[in-house]
Amino acid sequence: MTDMSRYHRQTLFAPIGKEGQAKLAHKHVLIVGCGALGSSAAEMLARAGIGELTLLDRDYVELTNLQRQHLFTEADVENKTPKAVAAANKLATINSEITINHVVIDATADNMVNYVKQVDLIIDATDNFDTRFIINDLAHKYQVPWIFGACVGSSGMSFSIMPGQTPCLDCLLKVTPVFGATCDAVGVIGPAVQMVVTHQVTEAIKILIEANQKLRTQLVLFDLWHNHYQQIDVSRSKQENCKSCGVTPTYPSLTYQNSTKTEVLCGRETVQIRGRKYPLESLESKLAQFGEVQANPFLVSVEIDSKRLVFFHDGRAFVHGTNSIEDAKKIYYQVVG
Ligand SMILES: [Zn+2]
């Protein structure tokens, strides 16, 4: 039996109350991406008592993450723990009374659909628009609200997308310049991340307790360094002929076949290759001939000629130390044969 006193200050807050708290306990939220935005959103939602959280992320913890990604530690860097796993482990020590699932995959239309169907809300904590457009289409197809969030430098923005009511991401992009649409190389400060998460999680709680009349219907934009705050009314940007949220949707991002896509990861000097699934145990012995191998239950990595290759269960590999797809593939095939 849950000891409700842990939520005392939240139930004392009249708009939530005991009734709202009871609703939260029966809700399930999918958090796509478990970096700066995702780990903080997950922490706030876990502390707030959301009954079930599913954390989805493709990456593992690196030293450059610790400046702004709250749930991670130096031990996670040392062990190359996948972010979704590290976050879930930490959250379990914060709130053991909720269910927390971790999924180490690169989000695609195919592998996300089953998660989307099970949840009440999706939090966008990704760093790329390919994934956001997949979320946008899945959310509209299965009528699940989702909350867009992005940040760069000292700026951030957020908008809550309610299928059938608000404009969708595609509609929004046609009327408002949205940053993050290109590869950003200007860095980011921790407070900007937290400000976006604050907006996302507040709206999430409103949606989950069905306080619909209190939802923020405007796009929020800010720049903490330059002291700029803005809310933009985008209600008229909803397009009747939109392929994602219009009257006859075709959900273009769900039909796009990208299962063999090789891509350069934004600002990371890393190429992601989707290849064959190799059993990690057999890779571990095979890679030993090339250099020092590091392994955990989720990945195997090896360093070769100042490049690091990391192989995951789902057939993906990262080649760190290059932005060249050609170079990355060359070393990848040299290793896997
Ligand atoms: Zn739309």
Side-chain angles (χ1 to χ4, degrees):
M1 187 67 195
T2 304
D3 181 353
M4 294 301 285
S5 64
R6 73 156 67 215
Y7 305 118
H8 177 252
R9 300 300 192 280
Q10 190 165 280
T11 52
L12 213 51
F13 178 68
I16 296 179
K18 286 184 175 156
E19 199 185 323
Q21 193 64 49
K23 284 182 182 168
L24 294 180
H26 293 99
K27 297 296 165 97
H28 185 175
V29 175
L30 171 65
I31 301 173
V32 185
C34 216
L37 290 172
S39 57
S40 283
E43 180 176 350
M44 273 202 234
L45 292 170
R47 289 186 189 276
I50 308 318
E52 185 166 0
L53 299 175
T54 295
L55 317 177
L56 191 156
D57 193 278
R58 66 180 173 187
D59 212 344
Y60 62 91
V61 182
E62 293 182 280
L63 189 60
T64 56
N65 303 148
L66 299 187
Q67 163 253 354
R68 66 198 178 285
Q69 304 190 9
H70 285 198
L71 292 174
F72 308 137
T73 64
E74 291 175 358
D76 295 322
V77 175
E78 181 68 24
N79 298 327
K80 291 190 165 51
T81 313
K83 290 182 180 180
V85 177
N89 289 345
K90 187 75 181 288
L91 292 176
T93 69
I94 291 170
N95 192 345
S96 60
E97 295 180 331
I98 61 170
T99 304
I100 305 161
N101 315 302
H102 56 73
V103 188
V104 185
I105 54 170
D106 187 27
T108 65
D110 287 342
N111 65 23
M112 258 203 303
V113 61
N114 282 328
Y115 298 106
V116 169
K117 283 187 197 170
Q118 293 173 39
V119 300
D120 301 287
L121 173 72
I122 305 163
I123 301 263
D124 159 37
T126 65
D127 58 0
N128 67 86
F129 270 78
D130 287 345
T131 310
R132 288 190 181 110
F133 281 123
I134 295 172
I135 296 172
N136 192 50
D137 276 347
L138 286 173
H140 284 86
K141 188 168 181 183
Y142 298 101
Q143 298 287 296
V144 180
W146 75 280
I147 306 177
F148 162 66
C151 53
V152 58
S154 54
S155 300
M157 62 191 341
S158 180
F159 183 66
S160 306
I161 298 175
M162 306 293 286
Q165 297 170 43
T166 65
C168 80
L169 183 66
D170 201 43
C171 293
L172 206 63
L173 284 170
K174 290 197 170 77
V175 296
T176 316
V178 172
F179 52 71
T182 55
C183 192
D184 298 302
V186 298
V188 62
I189 57 170
V193 174
Q194 297 310 314
M195 188 81 160
V196 172
V197 173
T198 293
H199 283 92
Q200 288 183 299
V201 171
T202 308
E203 294 311 296
I205 292 174
K206 292 179 195 171
I207 291 170
L208 295 173
I209 68 166
E210 296 141 39
N212 294 339
Q213 70 287 358
K214 287 291 178 191
L215 288 181
R216 178 172 38 71
T217 55
Q218 297 177 314
L219 172 72
V220 65
L221 264 166
F222 64 84
D223 184 332
L224 295 172
W225 202 265
H226 298 102
N227 312 308
H228 171 80
Y229 300 87
Q230 197 180 3
Q231 294 209 71
I232 303 174
D233 180 3
V234 291
S235 56
R236 279 190 297 252
S237 67
K238 192 169 168 66
Q239 315 263 318
E240 213 167 80
N241 61 353
C242 174
K243 291 187 171 73
S244 297
C245 75
V247 285
T248 48
T250 56
Y251 310 118
S253 298
L254 305 188
T255 50
Y256 178 56
Q257 189 46 258
N258 62 356
S259 60
T260 56
K261 201 171 75 174
T262 293
E263 60 180 318
V264 180
L265 302 187
C266 241
R268 294 270 309 273
E269 253 207 287
T270 298
V271 174
Q272 175 176 265
I273 295 173
R274 286 181 222 256
R276 270 180 55 196
K277 286 185 196 176
Y278 298 96
L280 294 186
E281 307 75 45
S282 68
L283 267 179
E284 200 177 333
S285 51
K286 194 172 181 181
L287 295 181
Q289 59 178 302
F290 296 99
E292 197 192 328
V293 174
Q294 203 184 344
N296 68 35
F298 308 96
L299 56 86
V300 177
S301 83
V302 64
E303 188 154 338
I304 306 168
D305 303 334
S306 77
K307 290 187 180 62
R308 179 164 282 280
L309 275 79
V310 182
F311 293 86
F312 295 86
H313 271 300
D314 61 355
R316 289 178 304 120
F318 286 166
V319 182
H320 296 299
T322 180
N323 281 323
S324 156
I325 287 180
E326 198 185 332
D327 287 355
K329 279 186 168 169
K330 202 168 137 193
I331 191 164
Y332 174 85
Y333 286 113
Q334 181 191 329
V335 168
V336 300

